[in-house]
């Protein structure tokens, strides 16, 4: 995963996590990855690797 994509993913993840605390970590990651995928649909190397494992 490229550095610039990692930074954007982290920023988006924490924005979603703080805005929608009740939906949880998995939803925040889902939304962050979805945004990154929408920006770069032809480059799965930028958005396909993040996964959530846990409750």
């Amino acid at each position: 995963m490229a550095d610039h994509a990692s930074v954007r993913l982290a920023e988006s993840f924490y924005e979603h996590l703080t805005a929608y605390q009740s939906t949880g970590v998995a939803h925040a990651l889902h939304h962050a990855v979805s945004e990154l995928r929408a920006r770069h649909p032809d480059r799965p190397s930028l958005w396909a690797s993040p996964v959530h494992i846990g409750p």
Side-chain angles (χ1 to χ4, degrees):
M1 187 170 189
D3 288 346
H4 72 278
S6 297
V7 169
R8 181 62 198 130
L9 180 73
E11 290 172 344
S12 180
F13 170 76
Y14 284 110
E15 287 172 11
H16 286 288
L17 189 61
T18 57
Y20 305 105
Q21 291 177 0
S22 63
T23 60
V25 174
H27 284 114
L29 182 61
H30 169 74
H31 289 290
V33 171
S34 295
E35 287 177 3
L36 197 56
R37 184 177 181 180
R39 294 176 113 186
H40 306 283
D42 59 335
R43 297 188 61 197
S45 63
L46 297 179
W47 49 262
S49 62
V51 295
H52 174 264
I53 299 173

